[in-house]
Amino acid sequence: MLCPEEDTERRIERACRFMQDFKHTDTPKRFAANRLDSEFTSTGTGPVAGKSRQVEREYLRLTAQPSPENVRPLAVLRKSLKLVKQKWVAENNYQKAWTQLKSIRQDCTVQHLKNDFVVEVYETHGRIALEQGDLSEFSQCLGQLEGLYEEGFQGHKYEFFAYKILTSFVKGMAVGKPWSDLNMVSFIQKIKLNGIGSDSPVLEHAFDTCNAVLTQNWIRFFRLFEVAPLMSGYILDSLVEPVRELAVQRISAAFRPKLPVSFVTSALAFRSGEEAASFLRKHGMEVEGDFLMLSGAGPFRTKSSGANSEPPPKEVQTKPETTAKQKSKKKKKRRVSSGSSIDSDSSSAGSPASPPSNSSLKAAKQAKKLKKYQKLLQAAAAQKKKSKKQKKKLKKSK
C-alpha cells in the first residue's frame, strides 16, 4: 500500500483531472452499507409523476409504489445533483454523497427516466465510488451505464469502458488469473476488432497498462501509472506494491554488486529516496548510504514470506536400503561415454562418475546434427535416382 503522504498527493493530482466541479481532500472513512438493496422493488405499475420540491431526500428502500408527493421531478433532480457535487467538494463525506445519489437514482427509476441526465447521475456516482475504493457500488453504476450507452444516450462511454477493463484486470491479478473472465475477453475482442474508442486516450492507456504488467515491463507500468488519466489511478493503486515487489526481485537478481537507490526511486515511482530505502529494508534488502547492496543478497522477502521470517531448516534425507538385485541392475545400466562398462569394484567403492563437460556435450549435439543431415542427403539422392529412372522409362515408351 502507498504511504499516507504519497496517497494524498496522488489523489490530489488525479482529482484535478477528474471534473471541474470536483476536487479532493483527505481520504474519509469508507461508508459500510448494504450494497445489495435494489433501487426500487417493482410492483408492476406505471411510472410515477413526481411533484416534490424537496431538493434533498434520504434514501429508503421502497416496497410499494411511492407517493408522487415524495418523488422529485426532473427539474428538481438536476438541482439535487448539483448540490451533491458542491457538498462533496466542500465536505468530502462519502456517506452523505452515497445516500443522496442513491435517492436521486431511485427517483429516476420510479419515474422511468432514461436520458442524458440519468447517465450523468450514474457516471458521477461511479467516479466517487472509484475514488473511495467502493468497487461493488461502481459495478452497479457500470451495469446501468452500459445499458444506457447501448440505447444511444450521451456520456463518457470510453472512459467507463477503460475503468471496466482495469477493474476486471486488477481483480484477476489478485487471484493470479488476469483475463479469467470470458465475458471481459469477448468485450475486449469486440473493442479491438471494431476499432471502438481507437482515439480515446483513456482506453488506450488502459490497454497499455495491462500489457505492461503482463509483459513484466515494470518501468513502463510506473510511467503509465504516474500519468494515469482521470480516475484510472485509483484503480491502479492496489497494483503498486505487488508490482514493486516483483520489480525489485528482478533487480536484485540482475544487478551486482550494488545499485544506486536513486535508480530504484525513479524506476519504481517512489516519491523520495527515503521512501524507497524504507521499502527495500522492509523487504529484507540491505541499504548502505545511497546504495542498495546486492552482493550476496538473500532472497527478496514479500508479504507472504514475512520480513522477519527465517528459511525452514533443511530436512536430512536418508537413502533407502537397496537389495542385491537392485545393485546389480544399477551396475549394468552404468556405462562410460566410450561404451565400456564400469568395473563393479570401482563402482561400489569409488566416488560417483563426474558429469560430462560442456565440450563433450557440444560434440555429441554436433554429431547428432550431422547424422540428421546425412540422412536427409541420402533421401534426396534416392529421390533423384528414382526420378531419373522414371524419365528414362518415359523416353523408352515414347
Side-chain angles (χ1 to χ4, degrees), residues 246 348 356:
L246 293 170
S348 59

Side-chain angles (χ1 to χ4, degrees), residues 37-210:
D37 288 350
S38 61
E39 294 172 26
F40 174 64
T41 304
S42 178
T43 58
T45 56
V48 177
K51 297 180 181 180
S52 174
R53 295 296 170 185
Q54 187 179 4
V55 177
E56 289 185 306
R57 182 177 70 80
E58 292 295 319
Y59 169 69
L60 297 172
R61 189 185 180 194
L62 300 176
T63 57
Q65 185 78 350
S67 172
E69 285 73 19
N70 296 327
V71 179
R72 293 163 291 182
L74 181 58
V76 179
L77 290 175
R78 292 184 188 276
K79 295 178 182 178
S80 301
L81 181 61
K82 186 177 180 180
L83 183 62
V84 170
K85 291 181 180 181
Q86 290 174 353
K87 287 197 172 183
W88 172 250
V89 169
E91 301 174 5
N92 204 9
N93 189 323
Y94 185 53
Q95 179 177 356
K96 289 183 180 179
W98 181 89
T99 301
Q100 293 302 316
L101 286 167
K102 289 289 279 188
S103 67
I104 294 171
R105 288 162 55 180
Q106 189 179 71
D107 287 349
C108 291
T109 302
V110 298
Q111 295 179 94
H112 295 193
L113 295 179
K114 285 188 177 181
N115 51 33
D116 295 346
F117 170 76
V118 178
V119 174
E120 184 184 357
V121 171
Y122 280 102
E123 286 182 346
T124 302
H125 200 171
R127 291 190 184 102
I128 294 175
L130 279 180
E131 187 174 348
Q132 298 301 307
D134 192 350
L135 294 182
S136 61
E137 193 64 54
F138 170 76
S139 299
Q140 290 184 25
C141 296
L142 183 62
Q144 295 292 331
L145 284 170
E146 286 180 327
L148 292 167
Y149 292 148
E150 287 179 3
E151 294 185 33
F153 297 109
Q154 297 299 315
H156 301 83
K157 178 168 63 174
Y158 301 140
E159 176 189 345
F160 278 82
F161 282 177
Y163 299 157
K164 178 180 180 180
I165 292 166
L166 288 176
T167 51
S168 176
F169 183 78
V170 169
K171 287 178 183 177
M173 287 293 294
V175 296
K177 294 181 180 179
W179 309 137
S180 57
D181 187 356
L182 297 178
N183 293 328
M184 179 55 60
V185 174
S186 61
F187 175 75
I188 293 171
Q189 288 176 347
K190 181 181 177 182
I191 289 176
K192 288 287 188 181
L193 292 173
N194 298 330
I196 298 172
S198 57
D199 57 345
S200 172
V202 187
L203 201 55
E204 185 180 356
H205 177 273
F207 285 125
D208 290 344
T209 303
C210 297

Side-chain angles (χ1 to χ4, degrees), residues 288-307:
E288 290 184 3
D290 296 332
F291 289 93
L292 171 63
M293 309 305 294
L294 296 168
S295 57
F300 182 81
R301 291 197 287 268
T302 59
K303 277 188 175 181
S304 58
S305 62

Side-chain angles (χ1 to χ4, degrees), residues 221-235:
F221 167 79
F222 284 107
R223 286 176 181 170
L224 291 166
F225 173 70
E226 289 192 312
V227 296
L230 303 174
M231 312 305 290
S232 300
Y234 291 107
I235 305 171

